[in-house]
Amino acid sequence: MKRALVALVAGLTLLTGCSSVEAGSPKADSSQPSAKVTLSPVDGTKDVQVTAPVQVTVVDGAIESVALKSPEGKDVKGTLTEDKTGWTTAEPLGYGKTYSYSGKVVGKDGRPVELKGSFTTVAPGSQTRATLWPGDDQTVGVAAPIMVKFEAPVQDKATVEKALKVTNSANVTGTWAWLNDQEVHYRPEKYWPANTHIKVEAKLYGVSYGGGAFGKSDVSSEFNIGRNQVVQINNPTHQLVVLRDGQQVASYPASFGLDNDAERTTPNGTFVVMSKNDTWSFDNPRYGYTNVVKKWAVRFSNHGEFIHENNDNAANIGKNNTSHGCANLMEADAKAYYDSAMIGDPVEVTGSITTLPPQFDWYDWQIPWEQWKSKSAAK
């Protein structure tokens, strides 16, 4: 973008009178009014960024009127300084449009200067939409990551990341990490403190994503972290333990994944509750079952792990690990846990023969903190 600030001489219509000087005296330049006007961007500039402030600045004079109009004739909102020597836009511009200045400045000598000029904003090759989770007014668990997803790959990740801002009532710091070209997540080093209020601002409109793509619109949200609840699964114990604020509030007999089968075991890792459904149909043709409907299903990995009711496995619940990776509970216990669970709660699994690689959503907490920080593009 060309944003050089130059005095507006050519391109302005100067409303002036004539004057004369006495013979023999030095010639005075009376052809120009005293007011010196600067436009940014200057007349004729191309590819102006839509979020760049448009400014009119005056020296030795004051702004009497100023307008900046879109091609449709709509006035762009702006603010005038108290001393009337400066005017700045108060809203972003549109992509690929030619805007025109008009107005008048009056110099200290009383002589007017007419404002006149135009410039054109950048025209994106494409506009990329972004979505944000959690959304407004949601309450989520202490392991909930903040997720921004893009409908197309982002080339200039550093520039995009710098347009993302997170603030919270607990003053906890965290880091953005790019999990792939279309998804960036934010989390702190440890779980969020309970009852934290979080605000996310993704000011992406006008941001260059690289390759000719620009942000389509801003997105933002304000949400809350709920109570601190953590599920602990230690496979050999056959117990699913629920902690609230660090204190055990429940321990349910369970049957986890088969201990000696790496394909069926409940794998080690710190997972996150992703969804809750009062019924869920389970299918695994490899092991010979389809459309097996179970109640009170809480998903904690899209690798296929759930906590759910399985009264059909009652003989093994609390005694043997025989499932295909899920945590089987008796129906009453499954319902009690289901009612207490919240999207974003952590589920910590230990004691397995297998550790799941960090590749199945939401795997944010399976990545060590130092490695997580290395995934930030804004160094």
Side-chain angles (χ1 to χ4, degrees):
M1 179 192 70
K2 301 176 182 177
R3 296 189 57 209
L5 303 181
V6 299
L8 182 66
V9 178
L12 298 184
T13 301
L14 305 181
L15 306 180
T16 65
C18 298
S19 61
S20 61
V21 296
E22 293 182 5
S25 63
K27 278 194 173 183
D29 183 5
S30 60
S31 63
Q32 300 293 334
S34 64
K36 297 177 179 61
V37 182
T38 302
L39 298 181
S40 174
V42 299
D43 183 28
T45 302
K46 307 293 184 184
D47 295 329
V48 173
Q49 298 298 328
V50 294
T51 55
V54 177
Q55 297 176 317
V56 178
T57 307
V58 179
V59 177
D60 292 332
I63 296 172
E64 186 172 287
S65 65
V66 62
L68 182 67
K69 290 185 181 291
S70 71
E72 298 80 19
K74 181 182 177 181
D75 284 322
V76 177
K77 295 178 183 177
T79 58
L80 185 65
T81 59
E82 189 173 345
D83 62 2
K84 298 185 178 181
T85 61
W87 182 90
T88 305
T89 47
E91 62 178 326
L93 306 178
Y95 286 122
K97 294 186 176 184
T98 298
Y99 289 84
S100 301
Y101 293 103
S102 63
K104 187 169 70 173
V105 170
V106 177
K108 289 183 177 180
D109 58 0
R111 302 165 85 181
V113 176
E114 184 182 0
L115 301 181
K116 188 177 290 185
S118 64
F119 61 87
T120 302
T121 56
V122 65
S126 62
Q127 296 181 45
T128 301
R129 179 174 177 264
T131 58
L132 171 62
W133 188 89
D136 275 328
D137 302 321
Q138 286 187 265
T139 299
V140 293
V142 296
I146 297 169
M147 299 183 283
V148 180
K149 298 182 180 182
F150 302 88
E151 64 181 353
V154 173
Q155 292 186 22
D156 190 350
K157 296 180 178 64
T159 296
V160 170
E161 187 176 326
K162 289 173 183 176
L164 310 177
K165 182 181 179 181
V166 177
T167 54
N168 65 86
S169 61
N171 294 319
V172 174
T173 58
T175 300
W176 291 101
W178 289 87
L179 304 187
N180 56 60
D181 288 344
Q182 292 181 234
E183 190 166 352
V184 62
H185 288 198
Y186 183 99
R187 72 166 177 88
E189 181 177 3
K190 300 178 181 179
Y191 299 146
W192 293 104
N195 306 313
T196 300
H197 180 74
I198 300 174
K199 181 178 181 179
V200 186
E201 298 172 278
K203 296 184 177 180
L204 296 168
Y205 178 71
V207 174
S208 173
Y209 290 7
F214 283 77
K216 186 172 185 177
S217 60
D218 295 342
V219 289
S220 64
S221 73
E222 291 192 49
F223 62 94
N224 296 295
I225 301 298
R227 78 289 177 271
N228 182 317
Q229 177 165 297
V230 180
V231 169
Q232 292 184 337
I233 293 172
N234 182 257
N235 282 270
T237 67
H238 313 302
Q239 293 287 315
L240 184 146
V241 176
V242 181
L243 304 178
R244 185 78 60 86
D245 298 320
Q247 302 298 313
Q248 181 174 315
V249 294
S251 182
Y252 303 119
S255 180
F256 304 119
L258 194 64
D259 289 322
N260 61 0
D261 187 339
E263 297 298 319
R264 287 182 54 180
T265 185
T266 305
N268 296 320
T270 297
F271 305 93
V272 184
V273 170
M274 303 173 67
S275 64
K276 296 171 57 179
N277 296 89
D278 54 8
T279 60
W280 189 262
S281 177
F282 291 88
D283 298 276
N284 195 333
R286 176 181 177 182
Y287 292 100
Y289 64 89
T290 58
N291 195 30
V292 176
V293 178
K294 296 299 175 182
K295 297 178 180 179
W296 316 123
V298 177
R299 180 193 286 271
F300 62 89
S301 168
N302 69 0
H303 178 255
E305 285 72 32
F306 287 75
I307 300 166
H308 64 82
E309 164 273 326
N310 192 359
N311 280 4
D312 292 336
N313 196 27
N316 291 301
I317 288 176
K319 300 174 184 178
N320 302 298
N321 290 334
T322 59
S323 82
H324 292 81
C326 293
N328 291 177
L329 304 180
M330 296 302 295
E331 182 174 352
D333 292 342
K335 175 65 162 61
Y337 168 66
Y338 179 94
D339 288 343
S340 78
M342 181 179 291
I343 307 302
D345 286 344
V347 178
E348 301 172 349
V349 182
T350 57
S352 174
I353 62 171
T354 297
T355 297
L356 199 64
Q359 65 189 52
F360 300 99
D361 281 346
W362 299 330
Y363 60 84
D364 304 55
W365 297 95
Q366 292 174 253
I367 301 175
W369 179 242
E370 292 303 317
Q371 182 182 350
W372 180 267
K373 290 194 295 183
S374 73
K375 292 180 174 293
S376 169
K379 307 299 184 184

